[in-house]
Amino acid sequence: MFGEVSLGLIIGPPSSGRTGALLRRVEAWATAAPLVVVPTSDDVERVETELARRDAALGVTVTTFAGLEAELARRLGGSRARSAGAVERRQILRRAIRETRLGPLAASAERPGFLAEVDRLMLELARAGTGARELAARAPGSEQPGVLGDLARIAFALAEGLDRAGLAGPRERIARALERLQLDASAWGGRPVALLGFDDLDPLQIDLLTALAEASEVIVSLTYEDRVAGRARARLLGELLERGAGVLAELEADPDNTSSPALHHLERGFAEPATRAPCDPGVGFLLAAGRRGAIELAGAEVAREIADGEDPGEIAIVLRDPGRHAALWESVFERFGVGAAIEADVGFESTATGRGLCSLLRAANGGAASDLIGFLRAPGVAPRGAVDRLERQVRRLGTESAAEAEELWDGRELFELGDLRESIAADDGVALLRALSRAARGLAERPRRREARSSGRRLELELRAGELAVGLLDELVGVAVALGDTGAELAADALAELEAAQLPLHRGSSERAVRITDPYRVRARRVRTLVVADLEEGDFPRASSPDPLLGDASRALCGLPPRAERLDEERYLFWSCLSRASHRIRFSWRVADDEGVAVNRSPFADEVLALLDGGEAVLGSAARRRDLAEVSFEPDEAPGPDELARSLATRHLEPATGSELALRLARARAARERDVKHDVAPSEALEELAARRLFGASTLEDYATCSFRWFVGHELRPRDLEPDPEPLVQGSLVHGVLERLYREPPAGAAPRSDTVGAWVARARELTLELAAGFGLAGEDVRGRVSRARTLALVVNALRNEAANPSPLRPDPELIEAAFGEGPGDARPPLELDGLTLHGKIDRVDRAADGSGLVRDYKTGAKVAGRAQIEDDGKLQLQLYSLALERLWDIAPLGGVYEPLAATGDRRPRGIVAGGDAEPATDGLALVSTDVIDPAELRDLLAAAEREAAGVVAGMRSGRVRPEPRHDTCPSYCEHAPICRRQRARIAELIDEDPDEPRQERAF
């Protein structure tokens, strides 16, 4: 015994060396086979390694608190009932909530998250020794009598359910062991116990330690110091002292805990009145704009440390919530060649196995078509192309249910879905769960069987997801059989469990990997380099979160400790972080978000700066920075050779000839060249391109705008999964209505002020008549709005033409005048220099002398004039003018685009002959710069023919580059995810020529 007490405490600040002091006592106990209890299984491995290094592992068992409870039950005879697993307990609790008539909590019980919160509270109450009877007895005198009454009824139902299932709750499991220990302390055998790494204990754990202290020596190592930062742990120390604990050692902070005087000063001065101290290389700051920028800056810092010889296992990054942006941290570290072990739990549905399994269950249980597609998209279930085809059908047909989508499926038989549906139809929930378990194994293991390699972090995660699902479903089967709840309603319970399930992103050894962890996990570790990241307001410290069910007064009445003051807890966690680095610490925060909006840093960062000479001015010399505009690192800050090569390449700098860096730079440039040069190379493809005869004007314009855009849109032809966009469908309907109007004019050849009413009335009739052919005849919102917009565009055009009378008259024979090799084409294709053109002219207006003007409808509000046509390489009006001349023997006046949606400037724009031909176009209100001399028009038509020939020559040569005209990607282009030239900017759908083959997109 330790003098007068057997429950001894070793207390001190985080930097006091408490671990060493406790392990020295454990070494002296080695012959008594002591138990060392640590918070997590990862800590077990760490402490075992430390004991082995000290040659003190012999006879010592390292375990978690759950292991200690199991050892107590084994030695002293715990409950004969098996302890309920988490899934079993929740399932019984779910049934208890359903079957309990609730008062104030009735509405809350229907909300997501209620079950989890009640489960947490029931566990807390059980470990505090507050059962259903105590709750019921205390409810009338509380400030929340109705809530406590509801909770008491739920607790009674939960206890009854556990008893029926032959399961024990958390306290019942060791209740007999505690009773026997109190009656006969010698039954424990005098085995000493040491607690390492705990800084919070629940009432049951304190009861256990108090009882064990009567039978053997017990030591608790506790982080505490009488200061503001240690306030969060004062309650625990007080409770232990009240139970008779004695302080064996009260340690002081150790200046040798770190080689950095500045870091030691921060740990000592944090949250206390203190003087300032000089900053040294042990303390640094990382300031970045944007989430990725901050992660890349932290990754670069770590990569440089490793390049300088630091062991990755001696580096840790602390995030308040490591799971929130785990994928981004992982991708950045992988790019920098740094191994990372992210200590965070992720949702089961965030894995491919989880998404597939939950989708399968939803699809079988009356789910949506998207659920069936989600299952089919799980790795190894079905070929991607077949699933793409199904999804396209589903979206275009508006299919809603999984059953309807299954009728469209033409792939392999979906026996997994059939098994689940049969079980549901037979009202056999147990069979359903077992079939689901088989499906989980298949989803997890099928990709591994198909992959050549048999390991890998992602595959390992999927296998663990499968194991988790199988274990969870097996528990559900056991409790369902025990309770007699074997009906098909188990499908909903299983889905709820799967959707809420979590699994660790990393498990096992993290040797040679940088740990990305949270403040709780890092408290019991020491590293050489620590990066404390996400130091922004609202992230670290977190905002306060009160108990959602019970107020502080009710918690106290139920024997529960008050929830720690959030700021005290956060301050304690940050203080702990300040002592975890032996050599250097880096504080990281964002100065702006991804949009460039300023982000407030954490008040903890302000407190750190206030302890250093110069205050915020120290950031000028001790901070690395990264702005949103930086796409590569400065050469002297690049995290590794590859990033350095990229940095030099983007700055056109050259390393020494023949150096290793020169070789890496050459490889980086070769990769960059592959990224920007995509020329078609296979001879078969070149032969096919060379043999290509027919071309459309829009196709030529696309290539002139960007050859890569042409290649993706017209050669690869990605197919849209979604139905055609509304503007495109409406544009086709507008063309149809105008075609019928001008082919069969209701009053005169064109609308005039006295006849426009008849034209509008006929347009209304045609809109209703033709809408059905475009799927817009319904009385739903989509149909009514689309018809109204179509009619508005047509009426806009008719009224504008009536207000601007012209001597030109539409030729009914040349409405939608088609030329090419199609069955309905009025003329053969146009033979030009080096190519053959096909197309369809919206409308041709004839002058008294027989000449004609090409008019092309655009459903947008803006159209290109002559200068923009030439600048952007547009060819359609010129080439159609040549077609008019050579195929129909009509002298061309040029061509114009009609902006049907214009509300202000409604004038047509294009290229129109003036001079002697100008009287023919009177009344069109043309822009003066669009009217040119007839000789100049001839030159423009000839130039367009030459440019078209050059475009076709480029196509046939296989030249494909993501090099848009004017070096600027069009705002409407969606192919940037393929060409990777720049981020895609999705803009309003522009006009597409309805007479060209549909350019379909799926990006």
PDB file of all heavy atoms in Angstrom, residues 282-303:
ATOM      1  N   GLY A 282      11.642  26.256 -33.153  1.00  0.00           N
ATOM      2  CA  GLY A 282      10.729  25.225 -32.676  1.00  0.00           C
ATOM      3  C   GLY A 282       9.272  25.592 -32.835  1.00  0.00           C
ATOM      4  O   GLY A 282       8.399  24.740 -32.720  1.00  0.00           O
ATOM      5  N   VAL A 283       8.977  26.871 -33.088  1.00  0.00           N
ATOM      6  CA  VAL A 283       7.603  27.351 -33.240  1.00  0.00           C
ATOM      7  C   VAL A 283       7.470  28.003 -34.613  1.00  0.00           C
ATOM      8  O   VAL A 283       8.296  28.824 -35.003  1.00  0.00           O
ATOM      9  CB  VAL A 283       7.234  28.359 -32.138  1.00  0.00           C
ATOM     10  CG1 VAL A 283       5.842  28.939 -32.383  1.00  0.00           C
ATOM     11  CG2 VAL A 283       7.297  27.702 -30.765  1.00  0.00           C
ATOM     12  N   GLY A 284       6.465  27.608 -35.357  1.00  0.00           N
ATOM     13  CA  GLY A 284       6.232  28.183 -36.676  1.00  0.00           C
ATOM     14  C   GLY A 284       4.754  28.237 -36.992  1.00  0.00           C
ATOM     15  O   GLY A 284       3.916  27.671 -36.278  1.00  0.00           O
ATOM     16  N   PHE A 285       4.431  28.916 -38.078  1.00  0.00           N
ATOM     17  CA  PHE A 285       3.029  29.143 -38.457  1.00  0.00           C
ATOM     18  C   PHE A 285       2.858  28.863 -39.939  1.00  0.00           C
ATOM     19  O   PHE A 285       3.752  29.144 -40.749  1.00  0.00           O
ATOM     20  CB  PHE A 285       2.619  30.580 -38.132  1.00  0.00           C
ATOM     21  CG  PHE A 285       2.800  30.948 -36.686  1.00  0.00           C
ATOM     22  CD1 PHE A 285       4.011  31.463 -36.234  1.00  0.00           C
ATOM     23  CD2 PHE A 285       1.785  30.754 -35.774  1.00  0.00           C
ATOM     24  CE1 PHE A 285       4.195  31.791 -34.905  1.00  0.00           C
ATOM     25  CE2 PHE A 285       1.954  31.078 -34.436  1.00  0.00           C
ATOM     26  CZ  PHE A 285       3.171  31.597 -33.999  1.00  0.00           C
ATOM     27  N   LEU A 286       1.699  28.314 -40.294  1.00  0.00           N
ATOM     28  CA  LEU A 286       1.352  28.004 -41.678  1.00  0.00           C
ATOM     29  C   LEU A 286       0.047  28.708 -41.995  1.00  0.00           C
ATOM     30  O   LEU A 286      -1.004  28.364 -41.440  1.00  0.00           O
ATOM     31  CB  LEU A 286       1.205  26.492 -41.870  1.00  0.00           C
ATOM     32  CG  LEU A 286       2.387  25.628 -41.421  1.00  0.00           C
ATOM     33  CD1 LEU A 286       2.033  24.147 -41.519  1.00  0.00           C
ATOM     34  CD2 LEU A 286       3.632  25.938 -42.247  1.00  0.00           C
ATOM     35  N   LEU A 287       0.082  29.689 -42.878  1.00  0.00           N
ATOM     36  CA  LEU A 287      -1.082  30.512 -43.195  1.00  0.00           C
ATOM     37  C   LEU A 287      -1.421  30.334 -44.671  1.00  0.00           C
ATOM     38  O   LEU A 287      -0.577  30.567 -45.544  1.00  0.00           O
ATOM     39  CB  LEU A 287      -0.796  31.990 -42.912  1.00  0.00           C
ATOM     40  CG  LEU A 287      -0.909  32.478 -41.462  1.00  0.00           C
ATOM     41  CD1 LEU A 287       0.029  31.728 -40.534  1.00  0.00           C
ATOM     42  CD2 LEU A 287      -0.611  33.965 -41.387  1.00  0.00           C
ATOM     43  N   ALA A 288      -2.648  29.907 -44.949  1.00  0.00           N
ATOM     44  CA  ALA A 288      -3.017  29.605 -46.330  1.00  0.00           C
ATOM     45  C   ALA A 288      -4.425  30.088 -46.623  1.00  0.00           C
ATOM     46  O   ALA A 288      -5.250  30.278 -45.722  1.00  0.00           O
ATOM     47  CB  ALA A 288      -2.917  28.105 -46.595  1.00  0.00           C
ATOM     48  N   ALA A 289      -4.682  30.291 -47.911  1.00  0.00           N
ATOM     49  CA  ALA A 289      -6.032  30.613 -48.376  1.00  0.00           C
ATOM     50  C   ALA A 289      -6.636  29.360 -48.999  1.00  0.00           C
ATOM     51  O   ALA A 289      -5.986  28.684 -49.788  1.00  0.00           O
ATOM     52  CB  ALA A 289      -5.969  31.739 -49.400  1.00  0.00           C
ATOM     53  N   GLY A 290      -7.846  29.048 -48.630  1.00  0.00           N
ATOM     54  CA  GLY A 290      -8.525  27.878 -49.183  1.00  0.00           C
ATOM     55  C   GLY A 290      -8.201  26.612 -48.427  1.00  0.00           C
ATOM     56  O   GLY A 290      -7.122  26.455 -47.861  1.00  0.00           O
ATOM     57  N   ARG A 291      -9.163  25.686 -48.429  1.00  0.00           N
ATOM     58  CA  ARG A 291      -8.983  24.422 -47.710  1.00  0.00           C
ATOM     59  C   ARG A 291      -7.829  23.613 -48.293  1.00  0.00           C
ATOM     60  O   ARG A 291      -6.952  23.149 -47.579  1.00  0.00           O
ATOM     61  CB  ARG A 291     -10.281  23.621 -47.780  1.00  0.00           C
ATOM     62  CG  ARG A 291     -10.235  22.262 -47.097  1.00  0.00           C
ATOM     63  CD  ARG A 291     -10.260  22.372 -45.593  1.00  0.00           C
ATOM     64  NE  ARG A 291     -11.471  23.015 -45.138  1.00  0.00           N
ATOM     65  CZ  ARG A 291     -11.687  23.352 -43.874  1.00  0.00           C
ATOM     66  NH1 ARG A 291     -10.735  23.128 -42.959  1.00  0.00           N
ATOM     67  NH2 ARG A 291     -12.818  23.933 -43.510  1.00  0.00           N
ATOM     68  N   ARG A 292      -7.823  23.441 -49.616  1.00  0.00           N
ATOM     69  CA  ARG A 292      -6.734  22.674 -50.232  1.00  0.00           C
ATOM     70  C   ARG A 292      -5.397  23.366 -50.024  1.00  0.00           C
ATOM     71  O   ARG A 292      -4.393  22.709 -49.765  1.00  0.00           O
ATOM     72  CB  ARG A 292      -6.998  22.475 -51.730  1.00  0.00           C
ATOM     73  CG  ARG A 292      -5.847  21.777 -52.444  1.00  0.00           C
ATOM     74  CD  ARG A 292      -6.166  21.505 -53.889  1.00  0.00           C
ATOM     75  NE  ARG A 292      -7.037  20.363 -54.050  1.00  0.00           N
ATOM     76  CZ  ARG A 292      -6.617  19.097 -54.069  1.00  0.00           C
ATOM     77  NH1 ARG A 292      -5.329  18.824 -53.940  1.00  0.00           N
ATOM     78  NH2 ARG A 292      -7.478  18.116 -54.225  1.00  0.00           N
ATOM     79  N   GLY A 293      -5.380  24.686 -50.123  1.00  0.00           N
ATOM     80  CA  GLY A 293      -4.127  25.402 -49.907  1.00  0.00           C
ATOM     81  C   GLY A 293      -3.557  25.150 -48.531  1.00  0.00           C
ATOM     82  O   GLY A 293      -2.342  24.964 -48.361  1.00  0.00           O
ATOM     83  N   ALA A 294      -4.428  25.141 -47.502  1.00  0.00           N
ATOM     84  CA  ALA A 294      -3.963  24.898 -46.133  1.00  0.00           C
ATOM     85  C   ALA A 294      -3.426  23.480 -45.988  1.00  0.00           C
ATOM     86  O   ALA A 294      -2.396  23.252 -45.342  1.00  0.00           O
ATOM     87  CB  ALA A 294      -5.110  25.134 -45.149  1.00  0.00           C
ATOM     88  N   ILE A 295      -4.102  22.515 -46.592  1.00  0.00           N
ATOM     89  CA  ILE A 295      -3.662  21.125 -46.497  1.00  0.00           C
ATOM     90  C   ILE A 295      -2.350  20.933 -47.260  1.00  0.00           C
ATOM     91  O   ILE A 295      -1.440  20.238 -46.795  1.00  0.00           O
ATOM     92  CB  ILE A 295      -4.761  20.182 -47.004  1.00  0.00           C
ATOM     93  CG1 ILE A 295      -5.984  20.265 -46.078  1.00  0.00           C
ATOM     94  CG2 ILE A 295      -4.264  18.750 -47.090  1.00  0.00           C
ATOM     95  CD1 ILE A 295      -7.192  19.491 -46.571  1.00  0.00           C
ATOM     96  N   GLU A 296      -2.232  21.553 -48.422  1.00  0.00           N
ATOM     97  CA  GLU A 296      -0.991  21.436 -49.188  1.00  0.00           C
ATOM     98  C   GLU A 296       0.174  22.081 -48.456  1.00  0.00           C
ATOM     99  O   GLU A 296       1.297  21.570 -48.483  1.00  0.00           O
ATOM    100  CB  GLU A 296      -1.171  22.072 -50.567  1.00  0.00           C
ATOM    101  CG  GLU A 296      -2.043  21.247 -51.501  1.00  0.00           C
ATOM    102  CD  GLU A 296      -2.164  21.860 -52.878  1.00  0.00           C
ATOM    103  OE1 GLU A 296      -1.852  23.069 -53.027  1.00  0.00           O
ATOM    104  OE2 GLU A 296      -2.564  21.146 -53.810  1.00  0.00           O
ATOM    105  N   LEU A 297      -0.082  23.196 -47.786  1.00  0.00           N
ATOM    106  CA  LEU A 297       0.992  23.844 -47.045  1.00  0.00           C
ATOM    107  C   LEU A 297       1.450  22.967 -45.877  1.00  0.00           C
ATOM    108  O   LEU A 297       2.649  22.822 -45.627  1.00  0.00           O
ATOM    109  CB  LEU A 297       0.514  25.209 -46.535  1.00  0.00           C
ATOM    110  CG  LEU A 297       1.594  26.142 -45.971  1.00  0.00           C
ATOM    111  CD1 LEU A 297       2.695  26.391 -46.991  1.00  0.00           C
ATOM    112  CD2 LEU A 297       0.967  27.462 -45.531  1.00  0.00           C
ATOM    113  N   ALA A 298       0.486  22.354 -45.161  1.00  0.00           N
ATOM    114  CA  ALA A 298       0.850  21.438 -44.077  1.00  0.00           C
ATOM    115  C   ALA A 298       1.566  20.208 -44.627  1.00  0.00           C
ATOM    116  O   ALA A 298       2.555  19.728 -44.060  1.00  0.00           O
ATOM    117  CB  ALA A 298      -0.401  21.023 -43.299  1.00  0.00           C
ATOM    118  N   GLY A 299       1.079  19.677 -45.743  1.00  0.00           N
ATOM    119  CA  GLY A 299       1.726  18.525 -46.364  1.00  0.00           C
ATOM    120  C   GLY A 299       3.139  18.833 -46.811  1.00  0.00           C
ATOM    121  O   GLY A 299       4.052  17.999 -46.672  1.00  0.00           O
ATOM    122  N   ALA A 300       3.348  20.033 -47.343  1.00  0.00           N
ATOM    123  CA  ALA A 300       4.688  20.430 -47.771  1.00  0.00           C
ATOM    124  C   ALA A 300       5.635  20.538 -46.574  1.00  0.00           C
ATOM    125  O   ALA A 300       6.809  20.138 -46.648  1.00  0.00           O
ATOM    126  CB  ALA A 300       4.620  21.764 -48.506  1.00  0.00           C
ATOM    127  N   GLU A 301       5.122  21.050 -45.468  1.00  0.00           N
ATOM    128  CA  GLU A 301       5.947  21.153 -44.258  1.00  0.00           C
ATOM    129  C   GLU A 301       6.379  19.774 -43.789  1.00  0.00           C
ATOM    130  O   GLU A 301       7.539  19.531 -43.459  1.00  0.00           O
ATOM    131  CB  GLU A 301       5.137  21.865 -43.166  1.00  0.00           C
ATOM    132  CG  GLU A 301       5.913  22.126 -41.881  1.00  0.00           C
ATOM    133  CD  GLU A 301       6.880  23.285 -41.997  1.00  0.00           C
ATOM    134  OE1 GLU A 301       6.821  24.031 -42.988  1.00  0.00           O
ATOM    135  OE2 GLU A 301       7.709  23.449 -41.081  1.00  0.00           O
ATOM    136  N   VAL A 302       5.439  18.839 -43.784  1.00  0.00           N
ATOM    137  CA  VAL A 302       5.742  17.473 -43.362  1.00  0.00           C
ATOM    138  C   VAL A 302       6.711  16.812 -44.332  1.00  0.00           C
ATOM    139  O   VAL A 302       7.674  16.141 -43.929  1.00  0.00           O
ATOM    140  CB  VAL A 302       4.432  16.664 -43.254  1.00  0.00           C
ATOM    141  CG1 VAL A 302       4.708  15.179 -43.134  1.00  0.00           C
ATOM    142  CG2 VAL A 302       3.597  17.152 -42.068  1.00  0.00           C
ATOM    143  N   ALA A 303       6.485  16.979 -45.641  1.00  0.00           N
ATOM    144  CA  ALA A 303       7.353  16.355 -46.644  1.00  0.00           C
ATOM    145  C   ALA A 303       8.781  16.865 -46.524  1.00  0.00           C
ATOM    146  O   ALA A 303       9.745  16.105 -46.696  1.00  0.00           O
ATOM    147  CB  ALA A 303       6.807  16.625 -48.038  1.00  0.00           C
TER     148      ALA A 303
END
